[in-house]
Amino acid sequence: MSATTGDLSPSSGLGTWRTPLVIIICGCLIALLSFGPRSSLGFFIQPMGREFAWGRDVFGLALALQNLLWGLGQPIAGAIADRFGIMRVMIVGALLYAGGLLLMRYSTAPLSLDLGAGVLIGFGLSGCSFNLVLSAFSKLLPPEKRGFALGAGTAAGSFGQFLFAPFGVAMIDNFGWQAALTVFALLMLLIVPLSLAIATPPSTAPASNAPAADQQSFKTALAEAFGHRSYVLLVLGFFTCGFQLAFITVHLPAYLADRGVAASTGGWVVAAIGLFNIIGSLSVGWLQNKYPKRYILSIIYLARALSILAFISFPITTFSAIVFGAATGLTWLSTVPPTSALVALMFGTRWFATLYGFAFVSHQVGGFLGVLLGGVVFEQFGSYTPIWWLSIFFGVLSALINLPIVEAPVARPVAQPA
């Protein structure tokens, strides 16, 4: 194989054990570990708030910074991974993530919370989250295995949410929030050995007769992508996914508690989101090989908007909350497989981590606003209702934005022989 698709041959020294199955399993474990703690941080709002007399706007700012810096760091981490290989980026990301969780554990002031939960975890996620796992799958696996692998990698992140939400609540209830954060930090260190399995080789200078995609420079790839209408539409639509997911992840536990739902039930609601998204992500990973990806994305955004509308239109009970968790879970990260697949289809895999990283910036800017506005609006008005309605509006808008996307490789001039 070329350097852009990975070298799994026995002569590489790694191919004897790095089979596609090993790559998928280890990549999924990384996605599980990296996504689990950050999806459970909403459960620390109330115990830390009580201890330090912090309002929800304090946590809103810290976790909004996390989402924003995760997004801004993603294309940088992707470009470094595309150029020098994924493993180095993964290791640095895991260490930053663990350090951020430990600093959060020892935070006694909003500034240290911003630095730990916001800056360190945000940049750590850009280096070791499922985004780079999906990039590794796209580079290392043959095309016929990519659709399932992308769905599996996304589903693994959801399974991390399913495991860590009730686990985090149980740790907080039985051992305190400080112990929970310490355990989370130690678990992040497992990403370091797992990253060996999804290591990609450094990029080398392409031959003059290589495909046009492999001859692109970084600047050329960016100019081509942002001059391509379908990529721009895809990026704009991805904003909604981040806005809705981040708002729900951070503020749903407190929203349910405000309405008399027990914290343990809130944990199971978040877990239900993760569990049902395994079904959603795997199903979408399979469906995208049979149906147009733009239609799948439109249906996902519209279905999520309708589920939010139904949730806030009826009285909140334990049953309705769990049903909402299940319905939301089916569409939770299901946007990721078709979005990442469309990026690879349009532009190839040479600069995949970079171009998907820029799409993810839009996702995380949405997440930043969702978390920040949730905290600010609640402190100002004592209600999350305006943000729920804004989530519905964005869902309908993204359903429409994705419809005109053209699913085809971008036209490039044929490389001339040397």
Side-chain angles (χ1 to χ4, degrees), residues 62-89:
L63 299 183
L65 279 173
Q66 178 193 118
N67 280 274
L68 181 63
L69 295 179
W70 181 8
L72 294 178
Q74 194 65 63
I76 300 173
I80 296 172
D82 282 333
R83 178 63 183 88
F84 299 103
I86 284 175
M87 185 180 70
R88 296 176 179 85
V89 180

Side-chain angles (χ1 to χ4, degrees), residues 188-203:
M188 292 310 98
L189 298 179
L190 295 176
I191 294 174
V192 174
L194 289 170
S195 66
L196 293 171
I198 61 169
T200 57
S203 177

Side-chain angles (χ1 to χ4, degrees), residues 44-54 59 105 107-108 176-178:
F44 293 86
I45 290 179
Q46 291 186 310
M48 293 185 71
R50 286 193 297 268
E51 183 159 339
F52 301 114
W54 291 341
F59 287 92
R105 180 253 182 271
S107 293
T108 57
W177 61 267
Q178 298 93 336

Side-chain angles (χ1 to χ4, degrees), residues 156-243:
S158 300
F159 192 61
Q161 180 173 326
F162 170 73
L163 291 177
F164 275 81
F167 174 64
V169 171
M171 287 289 296
I172 292 170
D173 289 344
N174 291 284
F175 302 103
W177 61 267
Q178 298 93 336
L181 288 171
T182 302
V183 171
F184 282 1
L186 293 175
L187 289 174
M188 292 310 98
L189 298 179
L190 295 176
I191 294 174
V192 174
L194 289 170
S195 66
L196 293 171
I198 61 169
T200 57
S203 177
T204 57
S208 59
N209 61 347
D214 292 344
Q215 296 191 50
Q216 275 190 315
S217 67
F218 175 78
K219 291 182 179 179
T220 303
L222 288 186
E224 178 185 69
F226 283 99
H228 190 53
R229 179 171 175 265
S230 292
Y231 178 77
V232 174
L233 292 174
L234 188 69
V235 169
L236 291 175
F238 216 22
F239 170 93
T240 292
C241 186
F243 185 94

